[in-house]
Amino acid sequence: MVIFIRWKFVIYQKCKKRGGSLKDKVKTAYIRALLITLKCLYKLVKKKPGRICVIDETPNSGSNAEAIYKYIAEEVKYNDVFITKKYMGRGMTLRDMYMVASSHVYICTHKSFKVSKDRVCIQTWHGIPLKGMNYMDRGEEELKAETWHKEFNNCDIILSSSNLYEVLLSSCIGIQRNKFVKTGFPRNDFLTMNNKTSKADILGLFEDGTVNSDTKVIVYLPTFRLGHKKDKIEGKLREGNIFGFDNYNSKELEQNLKANNCVIIAKLHPIEEKLLSANKLATSSRIKLVNSKWLEESKNDLYNLLSVSDMLITDYSSVYFDYLLLDKPIIFINNDLDQYRQNRSLLLEPYDFWTPGYKVSNQYEFIHSLNNYINNHEVFAKERKQIKSMLIETEGHDNCKRVWKEVVEPIVIK
């Protein structure tokens, strides 16, 4: 008890000397100390050879973790694999803690985690970077960048889609080249393989009489503007409408969508989704906003939704790189491009070259581009193919199989 009180006092005194809110500093320090303590306890648990822990930090939102877990559990029928959203701290059962602590292989999507050096960490990451991050993020603090570099490199193997991807990721984080294995990303199997999601399921979101079997589904997936870093806005906020158009006219857009027999399903980035309430963003009978809860309850992954779509709308989200596998039209909303460049920066320039589709900054341009694509899907087809060849070298429908055969199986089955 005396040791615990002394420990709390030391944390309090150290935090008091630092700037900023003392309450926030103390809370952060307590959490960090507790996590360090828990990790030390994990090390006391003996490794279970062959046990696989899949850590899914973005469930249902284009998750590499979920895809590889389903393949290992359902296709390979390997019986010593489990998936968890949490791997340390509050909200975990003792059983989950034991399973994490005793695992041999960890498959991650964000932070690289493993209990000790005799375990193996496989980093899948969650997208080809278009935006600058870490070392290549203009607004990142040097100390945080160095910390992230160290934490990320705690992994042993990193899944890759191409040589260019490896260069981009390493420029942001700093990674030894021999850690990369070119398997493709597991989640892309959700895009290109048959899945339980059908267009009829998606159209069921809309009221009877609004849609029919020929209705075209357009998915809108913007990246975050608010929430990546505390109190920092990285671009134009979506105030009043999900597109951030200054000249937004819901009636005009609704009429155009109806004339073209289209509907739009929008899904905000998980970070921003927690900060913006749906009732602040205008929708309509042909524009629906879905969230992570809906994906979970309907047992869908975001990439299942993309697989049955006819078109993608985005801005600076890396999802469009994966969408190139479908060779379908893409519209890029770039009405805050200069602001985004200044606050965050883009890794790939010139922007117009790396974004194979119509670029729009207002509703007039948006409707014009939509109409053009309806009349001719082959616009930008050549550009889509060119970008895909540079960033996705692993073709086919078997990324999960490659990950299992080339990476995981040689470790767990000897």
Side-chain angles (χ1 to χ4, degrees):
M1 185 67 179
V2 174
I3 295 174
F4 178 70
I5 294 173
R6 175 63 181 168
W7 174 64
K8 291 182 70 176
F9 177 76
V10 169
I11 290 176
Y12 178 83
Q13 290 299 318
K14 284 186 176 181
C15 292
K16 195 173 180 181
K17 294 178 182 179
R18 301 173 187 168
S21 166
L22 179 60
K23 184 179 179 180
D24 289 343
K25 296 285 185 181
V26 170
K27 183 179 179 181
T28 300
Y30 281 163
I31 292 172
R32 188 173 296 155
L34 288 170
L35 291 179
I36 290 173
T37 302
L38 183 57
K39 194 168 184 180
C40 290
L41 292 174
Y42 275 4
K43 291 182 179 181
L44 300 177
V45 179
K46 186 177 180 182
K47 178 181 76 177
K48 172 76 167 22
R51 176 162 291 161
I52 303 170
C53 170
V54 180
I55 303 170
D56 188 2
E57 295 195 56
T58 52
N60 310 112
S61 294
S63 173
N64 281 317
E66 183 180 5
I68 190 61
Y69 169 76
K70 284 186 174 181
Y71 180 81
I72 294 173
E74 298 173 10
E75 300 298 323
V76 179
K77 300 190 183 304
Y78 189 78
N79 59 15
D80 201 0
V81 57
F82 78 106
I83 188 167
T84 179
K85 298 176 185 178
K86 298 180 179 180
Y87 52 98
M88 294 187 75
R90 189 169 60 182
M92 294 184 66
T93 64
L94 288 175
R95 178 189 177 277
D96 285 348
M97 288 184 180
Y98 172 75
M99 293 295 285
V100 171
S102 62
S103 288
H104 179 187
V105 175
Y106 300 89
I107 301 177
C108 309
T109 61
H110 287 67
K111 283 189 176 181
S112 298
F113 175 84
K114 61 181 180 181
V115 171
S116 56
K117 290 183 179 179
D118 67 332
R119 320 295 173 97
V120 178
C121 175
I122 300 169
Q123 176 62 254
T124 69
W125 197 232
H126 48 277
I128 299 170
L130 172 69
K131 305 180 291 284
M133 62 180 184
N134 209 50
Y135 289 134
M136 300 299 287
D137 182 345
R138 293 184 189 279
E140 188 61 275
E141 297 174 8
E142 183 177 351
L143 180 60
K144 288 184 178 179
E146 291 297 331
T147 300
W148 181 240
H149 160 74
K150 183 177 179 180
E151 289 181 353
F152 191 97
N153 275 280
N154 192 38
C155 68
D156 302 283
I157 298 167
I158 304 168
L159 305 188
S160 166
S161 65
S162 66
N163 288 333
L164 180 54
Y165 170 75
E166 294 169 14
V167 171
L168 292 173
L169 198 61
S170 191
S171 69
C172 293
I173 300 174
I175 303 165
Q176 288 179 296
R177 187 64 181 269
N178 60 6
K179 287 192 174 186
F180 289 102
V181 179
K182 210 175 273 94
T183 59
F185 303 124
R187 68 183 183 181
N188 284 345
D189 284 358
F190 286 156
L191 277 181
T192 56
M193 297 180 73
N194 293 330
N195 58 71
K196 295 178 182 179
T197 302
S198 69
K199 201 168 198 175
D201 295 329
I202 303 305
L203 294 177
L205 287 166
F206 298 88
E207 296 177 8
D208 292 341
T210 303
V211 298
N212 54 49
S213 59
D214 295 322
T215 299
K216 291 171 278 294
V217 174
I218 303 171
V219 177
Y220 175 41
L221 300 175
T223 191
F224 45 73
R225 295 296 189 280
L226 178 67
H228 171 59
K229 294 188 179 72
K230 189 177 181 181
D231 301 326
K232 182 178 179 181
I233 299 173
E234 297 185 342
K236 186 179 180 66
L237 290 176
R238 282 175 282 275
E239 295 177 345
N241 68 87
I242 57 176
F243 306 106
F245 292 143
D246 292 331
N247 64 334
Y248 184 68
N249 184 322
S250 60
K251 187 175 181 180
E252 180 186 30
L253 180 56
E254 180 89 2
Q255 289 174 344
N256 185 266
L257 292 173
K258 184 177 181 179
N260 285 309
N261 194 15
C262 294
V263 293
I264 295 177
I265 299 174
K267 167 70 172 67
L268 298 182
H269 188 282
I271 293 177
E272 196 168 13
E273 187 179 280
K274 296 175 182 178
L275 302 172
L276 293 176
S277 60
N279 57 13
K280 291 183 179 180
L281 300 171
T283 56
S284 70
S285 64
R286 286 187 172 264
I287 302 176
K288 297 297 181 184
L289 186 67
V290 299
N291 56 27
S292 298
K293 184 179 179 181
W294 177 83
L295 287 170
E296 183 178 2
E297 290 176 350
S298 63
K299 297 182 180 179
N300 276 308
D301 184 271
L302 185 62
Y303 275 42
N304 296 142
L305 179 61
L306 285 173
S307 71
V308 296
S309 68
D310 298 283
M311 190 184 305
L312 172 68
I313 307 168
T314 187
D315 42 25
Y316 318 114
S317 172
S318 63
V319 68
Y320 82 85
F321 290 123
D322 293 338
Y323 198 73
L324 294 173
L325 286 165
L326 300 181
D327 192 27
K328 293 179 180 180
I330 307 171
I331 293 176
F332 297 89
I333 297 177
N334 66 345
N335 52 352
D336 58 353
L337 180 58
D338 290 338
Q339 186 179 355
Y340 208 85
R341 279 186 174 126
Q342 182 178 355
N343 292 339
R344 182 75 184 267
S345 76
L346 298 179
L347 273 181
L348 294 170
E349 294 279 14
Y351 172 78
D352 284 348
F353 172 81
W354 290 100
T355 49
Y358 287 113
K359 267 68 72 174
V360 306
S361 59
N362 55 57
Q363 182 165 308
Y364 170 79
E365 293 175 349
F366 176 72
I367 290 176
H368 181 69
S369 299
L370 182 62
N371 292 339
N372 285 348
Y373 271 143
I374 296 297
N375 293 324
N376 183 7
H377 275 207
E378 295 305 308
V379 182
F380 290 102
K382 181 180 178 181
E383 290 84 352
R384 292 195 298 265
K385 184 177 181 180
Q386 181 181 20
I387 300 301
K388 185 186 77 169
S389 68
M390 299 169 72
L391 285 163
I392 304 176
E393 297 175 15
T394 49
E395 293 282 356
H397 312 314
D398 51 4
N399 291 346
C400 287
K401 183 178 181 179
R402 272 194 294 269
V403 173
W404 170 255
K405 286 292 185 180
E406 298 178 20
V407 180
V408 183
E409 187 180 41
I411 299 170
V412 300
I413 299 178
K414 295 181 178 179

